[in-house]
């Protein structure tokens, strides 16, 4: 989240980022003590630095903000780039469950959109299995629909339509599962910043650190809304 240093000067005035005191108001009294993020590169946090924004991945930013309201809160990030949803389930889920989280952020399916044979229903089945296993362990689950990077003006026209269709299909599948399985869902797909440009890293695939700052802000807002809706605060789950 923004601080008072020069490194976050642009972030402090970005209309999509957190306002001063907003995170404290939204996360005060949250009940979680063991937080894990896992999945593909979205969870891992790949992204280029941007002047005026903190050089920190969004999941790590979220963890740091949660830790400000839970002394000694444990956190691990198990995200790995180039990992399809099926491999997230087969190689990461058991380790996540061994960590015994009470809050878990799962971000997967993004890498699947980049490979031959993308099947949103198959990705959805893997995500369903992941979320169900976490929920059965008593963990609160956070899911995410990614910002539509295909709307960035720098995206080559030759790939924009196909990439955008795949991202939309993944977003719709993830959103449907989130509603059905009652996760905390961070819906970034239609975020207006996507069409403004300047959000992608040099690889043309991952959000830069401004994108991470915005994603962290929306994550905190989604969690705050969940806390308000459920009345789960002050260490009582």
């Amino acid at each position: 989240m923004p601080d008072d240093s020069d490194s976050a000067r642009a972030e402090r005035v970005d209309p999509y980022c957190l306002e001063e005191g907003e995170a404290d108001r939204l996360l005060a009294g949250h009940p979680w003590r063991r937080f894990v993020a896992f999945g593909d590169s979205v969870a891992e946090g790949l992204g280029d630095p941007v002047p005026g924004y903190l050089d920190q991945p969004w999941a790590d930013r979220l963890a740091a903000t949660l830790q400000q309201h839970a002394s000694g809160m444990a956190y691990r990030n198990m995200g790995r780039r180039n990992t399809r949803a099926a491999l997230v389930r087969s190689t990461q889920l058991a380790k996540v469950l061994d960590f015994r989280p009470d809050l878990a952020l799962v971000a997967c399916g993004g890498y699947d959109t980049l490979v031959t044979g993308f099947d949103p229903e198959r990705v959805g089945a893997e995500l369903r299995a992941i979320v169900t296993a976490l929920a059965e362990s008593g963990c609160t689950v956070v899911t995410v629909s990614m910002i539509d990077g295909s709307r960035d003006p720098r995206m080559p026209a030759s790939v924009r339509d196909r990439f955008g269709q795949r991202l939309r299909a993944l977003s719709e599948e993830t959103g449907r599962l989130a509603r059905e399985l009652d996760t905390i869902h961070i819906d970034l797909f239609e975020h207006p910043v996507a069409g403004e440009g300047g959000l992608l890293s040099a690889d043309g695939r991952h959000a830069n650190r401004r994108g991470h700052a915005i994603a962290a802000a929306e994550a905190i807002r989604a969690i705050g809304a969940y806390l308000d809706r459920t009345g789960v605060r002050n260490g009582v789950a």
Side-chain angles (χ1 to χ4, degrees), residues 103-114:
L103 180 67
L105 166 63
V106 54
C108 65
Y111 184 63
D112 293 74
T113 66
L114 302 175

Side-chain angles (χ1 to χ4, degrees), residues 38-47 57 77-85 87-88 91-92 107 110-112 114 203 205-206 209:
F38 70 109
D40 57 25
S41 58
V42 175
E44 182 183 357
L46 300 189
N77 190 322
M78 301 185 190
R80 293 294 180 269
R81 66 196 73 183
N82 302 337
T83 305
R84 297 180 69 166
L87 277 177
V88 171
T91 65
Q92 296 181 23
Y111 184 63
D112 293 74
L114 302 175
D203 65 7
R205 292 167 47 187
H206 297 97
R209 288 304 187 231

Side-chain angles (χ1 to χ4, degrees), residues 123-214:
V123 172
E126 297 293 348
L127 184 59
R128 176 186 294 277
I130 291 169
V131 173
T132 300
L134 289 164
E136 289 177 349
S137 76
C139 182
T140 302
V141 184
V142 183
T143 52
V144 57
S145 292
M146 300 182 298
I147 292 176
D148 182 7
S150 72
R151 292 166 53 201
D152 190 291
R154 292 192 306 146
M155 180 67 64
S158 59
V159 300
R160 180 181 294 121
D161 289 347
R162 180 171 179 242
F163 187 43
Q165 289 170 3
R166 288 186 169 199
L167 286 176
R168 180 172 292 279
L170 176 62
S171 173
E172 290 175 351
E173 182 69 16
T174 305
R176 183 181 66 80
L177 283 171
R179 292 188 295 273
E180 182 179 337
L181 302 176
D182 196 27
T183 70
I184 301 174
H185 189 55
I186 309 162
D187 190 356
L188 299 172
F189 185 76
E190 300 285 1
H191 197 289
V193 75
E196 295 181 2
L199 197 68
L200 293 179
S201 297
D203 65 7
R205 292 167 47 187
H206 297 97
N208 59 28
R209 288 304 187 231
R210 183 185 181 218
H212 282 255
I214 293 168

Side-chain angles (χ1 to χ4, degrees), residues 31-109:
W32 302 293
R33 295 298 179 269
R34 298 183 68 81
F35 174 44
V36 65
F38 70 109
D40 57 25
S41 58
V42 175
E44 182 183 357
L46 300 189
D48 293 347
V50 177
Y53 292 81
L54 294 183
D55 187 9
Q56 188 177 25
W58 74 291
D60 294 358
R61 293 167 64 105
L62 173 58
T65 309
L66 288 165
Q67 286 171 329
Q68 292 179 6
H69 296 276
S71 178
M73 181 182 192
Y75 168 60
R76 289 188 64 185
N77 190 322
M78 301 185 190
R80 293 294 180 269
R81 66 196 73 183
N82 302 337
T83 305
R84 297 180 69 166
L87 277 177
V88 171
R89 182 173 64 86
S90 65
T91 65
Q92 296 181 23
L93 180 58
K95 296 175 183 177
V96 167
L97 293 172
D98 285 345
F99 179 66
R100 295 178 292 107
D102 52 9
L103 180 67
L105 166 63
V106 54
C108 65

